[in-house]
């Protein structure tokens, strides 16, 4: 099958959930299909990054990604029915390149990755499959709730516009793909297919702690340009981690637990929290799987998110125990107490961290169960097969 993919991003390096998802799907689907990718490319993405994607595609055509936060985009959004997200990703150059490619080559299907580049498609006579990473208007709604009260009215207006445009895109596509059953139900279209996020179970090999290491690291990892990661880290530092240390002191335990914070664009403002029990790793160059291999558990109390959390899936695959919130496992079928430990309350989250530190049998039970669960449900090869079935049933 000859497939034209249209995306709002070049999926390399693998620095975000969207990049990880699209790269792995293309990698697996290209074994059966010829894939041309037309996408936006950021200025900081290199020719080497482009070459990595070209290895798994028949052809890659890029458009320079515009600066999103500009006076022009803000004014355009204010005086139009389009939300800010669509204004920033509307590109006449992309539309012309898509049109030109469709004239030159006979494609069987168009795969649109994220609804907010859909408006760049010219009128077409071939099937369009729209793949949504999450329900964007709900993600922005959660952001708005956490925002400065002065900005909230403006953000809620934009959320309303975003909801209207997103739902219109869902109706327009020939086939619609969600990443979870939760989102499928919210989209309210009878023929939606679920193609979940996944993990490379070979790369994220299971590390089995038969014996406790002397120092155990409690990891929080993420790209800190996203508000949900900054919010979760602040929540850990101010409300959860002090309770963990208090619990250790009450039990007369030497503090062998270290909170290890790793991620791109970690704000300097977090340095004020640093002490002997906290490692703020600004310059970590390890691959992600190496980071999980060094971590004893993942603490990911997400309070604003969408789709499914890659950090949770990757930790589960790696044999790293997971402590999270219900939002951290939203969209997964993971069960609290069997695959992860989950709560919204700071005190209970702190107790989970302490229990995994002190009870090795609980730790092994949780991590072994989580690895098996990921292998059976979230391996990329299985997931790419599901998307392939959507393609075939669309024609």
């Amino acid at each position: 099958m000859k497939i034209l993919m249209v995306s709002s991003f070049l999926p390399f390096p693998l620095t975000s959930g969207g990049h990880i998802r699209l790269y792995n799907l293309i990698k697996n689907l290209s074994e059966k299909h010829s894939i041309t990718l037309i996408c936006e490319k950021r200025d900081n993405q290199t020719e080497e990054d482009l070459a990595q994607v070209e290895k798994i595609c028949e052809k890659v055509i890029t458009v320079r990604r515009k600066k999103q936060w500009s006076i022009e985009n803000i004014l355009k959004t204010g005086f139009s029915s389009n939300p800010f997200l669509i204004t920033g990703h509307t590109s006449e150059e992309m539309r012309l390149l898509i049109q030109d490619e469709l004239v030159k080559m006979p494609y069987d299907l168009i795969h649109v990755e994220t609804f907010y580049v859909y408006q760049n498609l010219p009128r077409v006579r071939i099937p369009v499959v729209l793949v949504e990473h999450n329900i964007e208007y709900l993600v922005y709604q959660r952001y708005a709730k956490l925002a400065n009260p002065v900005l909230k009215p403006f953000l809620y207006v934009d959320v309303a516009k975003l909801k209207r445009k997103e739902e219109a895109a869902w109706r327009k596509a020939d086939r619609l793909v969600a990443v979870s059953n939760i989102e499928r139900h919210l989209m309210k279209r009878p023929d939606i297919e679920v193609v979940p996020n996944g993990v490379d179970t070979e790369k994220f090999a299971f590390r089995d702690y038969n014996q406790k290491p002397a120092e155990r690291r409690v990891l929080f990892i993420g790209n800190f340009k996203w508000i949900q990661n900054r919010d979760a880290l602040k929540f850990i530092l101010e409300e959860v981690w002090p309770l963990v240390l208090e619990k250790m002191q009450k039990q007369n335990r030497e503090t062998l637990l270290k909170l290890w914070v790793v991620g791109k664009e970690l704000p300097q403002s977090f340095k004020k929290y640093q002490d002997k029990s906290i490692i703020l790793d600004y310059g970590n160059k390890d691959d992600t799987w190496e980071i999980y291999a060094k971590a004893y558990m993942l603490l990911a109390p997400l309070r604003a998110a969408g789709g499914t959390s890659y950090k949770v899936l990757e930790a589960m695959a790696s044999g790293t125990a997971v402590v999270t919130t219900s939002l951290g496992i939203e969209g997964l079928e993971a069960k609290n107490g069997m695959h992860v430990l989950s709560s919204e309350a700071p005190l209970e989250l702190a107790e989970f961290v302490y229990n995994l530190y002190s009870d090795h049998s609980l730790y092994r039970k949780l991590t072994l169960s989580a690895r098996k669960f990921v292998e059976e449900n979230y391996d990329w090869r299985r997931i790419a097969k599901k998307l392939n079935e959507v393609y075939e049933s669309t024609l």
Side-chain angles (χ1 to χ4, degrees):
M1 195 182 298
K2 197 161 183 61
I3 298 166
L4 178 63
M5 281 194 180
V6 179
S7 170
S8 58
F9 55 89
L10 178 73
F12 205 90
L14 306 181
T15 53
S16 74
H19 289 66
I20 293 166
R21 177 183 172 90
L22 188 57
Y23 178 86
N24 280 282
L25 285 173
I26 293 173
K27 179 182 174 183
N28 283 277
L29 288 166
S30 64
E31 295 175 6
K32 285 190 173 183
H33 305 295
S34 171
I35 297 174
T36 293
L37 174 66
I38 297 180
C39 64
E40 295 179 0
K41 178 176 175 289
R42 293 175 180 269
D43 289 341
N44 63 354
Q45 290 179 295
T46 66
E47 290 302 310
E48 186 179 333
D49 295 333
L50 176 60
Q52 291 297 323
V53 182
E54 287 175 334
K55 288 178 184 178
I56 58 173
C57 291
E58 182 75 19
K59 187 193 306 184
V60 180
I61 302 168
T62 64
V63 175
R64 183 177 178 271
R65 178 184 168 96
K66 296 186 297 184
K67 183 180 178 183
Q68 300 298 293
W69 288 100
S70 66
I71 297 297
E72 181 185 358
N73 282 353
I74 292 169
L75 290 174
K76 276 185 180 179
T77 301
F79 291 97
S80 80
S81 61
N82 284 334
F84 184 77
L85 192 60
I86 284 183
T87 300
H89 290 279
T90 298
S91 168
E92 178 66 10
E93 182 186 2
M94 178 178 276
R95 191 187 70 79
L96 291 173
L97 286 169
I98 294 168
Q99 185 173 281
D100 185 55
E101 190 63 26
L102 291 170
V103 169
K104 289 191 297 187
M105 301 296 296
Y107 285 92
D108 299 298
L109 180 144
I110 298 175
H111 169 139
V112 177
E113 191 78 3
T114 69
F115 87 95
Y116 48 88
V117 290
Y118 203 144
Q119 73 280 3
N120 297 320
L121 260 65
R123 290 188 178 183
V124 294
R125 296 179 179 272
I126 58 176
V128 176
V129 176
L130 172 60
V131 180
E132 289 280 68
H133 293 181
N134 45 54
I135 298 178
E136 291 291 341
Y137 77 80
L138 290 179
V139 175
Y140 279 77
Q141 197 172 74
R142 288 167 182 155
Y143 290 168
K145 287 178 182 177
L146 297 170
N148 186 306
V150 175
L151 296 175
K152 281 186 178 183
F154 302 100
L155 293 175
Y156 280 127
V157 169
D158 199 62
V159 167
K161 292 198 285 186
L162 190 62
K163 182 175 186 290
R164 186 171 62 253
K165 291 290 185 178
E166 189 164 17
E167 290 177 343
W170 298 343
R171 293 190 294 270
K172 187 177 179 182
D174 295 284
R175 295 299 297 277
L176 181 59
V177 173
V179 298
S180 74
N181 281 313
I182 290 173
E183 294 181 341
R184 179 173 66 84
H185 291 308
L186 290 170
M187 286 174 171
K188 296 179 181 177
R189 179 172 156 169
D191 60 343
I192 297 171
E193 297 291 337
V194 174
V195 179
N197 291 327
V199 63
D200 185 337
T201 55
E202 291 183 2
K203 180 178 180 180
F204 290 88
F206 185 75
R207 181 263 299 116
D208 188 2
Y209 276 134
N210 288 312
Q211 294 182 337
K212 299 178 186 179
E215 179 183 284
R216 276 158 272 176
R217 292 191 172 190
V218 179
L219 173 68
F220 182 78
I221 184 171
N223 188 326
F224 290 95
K225 77 175 182 178
W226 303 117
I227 191 172
Q228 65 263 37
N229 287 325
R230 299 197 300 272
D231 173 74
L233 179 56
K234 186 177 180 183
F235 179 55
I236 291 170
L237 291 167
E238 293 186 351
E239 300 189 47
V240 181
W241 192 246
L243 294 174
V244 173
L245 297 181
E246 186 180 309
K247 183 79 172 176
M248 297 284 287
Q249 290 168 359
K250 283 183 179 178
Q251 299 298 323
N252 293 316
R253 297 269 188 172
E254 184 183 355
T255 308
L256 296 174
L257 276 180
K258 302 286 185 183
L259 177 62
W260 184 29
V261 181
V262 180
K264 290 184 177 295
E265 300 188 41
L266 177 59
Q268 294 291 322
S269 59
F270 284 108
K271 277 192 172 180
K272 66 183 180 184
Y273 298 100
Q274 194 159 7
D275 62 27
K276 65 180 182 181
S277 73
I278 299 171
I279 304 166
L280 298 179
D281 204 335
Y282 284 87
N284 193 294
K285 301 295 183 184
D286 287 347
D287 202 336
T288 310
W289 69 267
E290 293 175 315
I291 294 169
Y292 286 113
K294 294 175 182 177
Y296 195 68
M297 69 184 87
L298 174 74
L299 176 56
L302 299 174
R303 303 190 296 177
T308 52
S309 174
Y310 284 93
K311 58 173 67 73
V312 170
L313 282 173
E314 290 169 352
M316 291 168 73
S318 304
T320 303
V322 175
V323 176
T324 187
T325 53
S326 58
L327 198 57
I329 52 173
E330 184 178 69
L332 301 176
E333 303 297 326
K335 291 183 172 56
N336 185 18
M338 180 180 293
H339 307 116
V340 304
L341 297 178
S342 171
S343 176
E344 318 309 310
L347 181 58
E348 197 165 15
L349 289 166
E351 287 175 347
F352 288 158
V353 171
Y354 179 79
N355 291 343
L356 286 168
Y357 165 80
S358 59
D359 186 345
H360 194 56
S361 63
L362 171 64
Y363 184 93
R364 280 180 56 76
K365 175 187 171 184
L366 202 72
T367 53
L368 289 167
S369 176
R371 171 67 189 197
K372 182 180 179 184
F373 171 74
V374 168
E375 287 177 348
E376 292 176 350
N377 296 282
Y378 293 99
D379 182 88
W380 280 121
R381 288 163 294 190
R382 291 176 181 264
I383 292 166
K385 185 178 177 182
K386 289 183 180 181
L387 184 53
N388 183 61
E389 290 169 356
V390 173
Y391 288 166
E392 291 179 348
S393 65
T394 303
L395 299 179

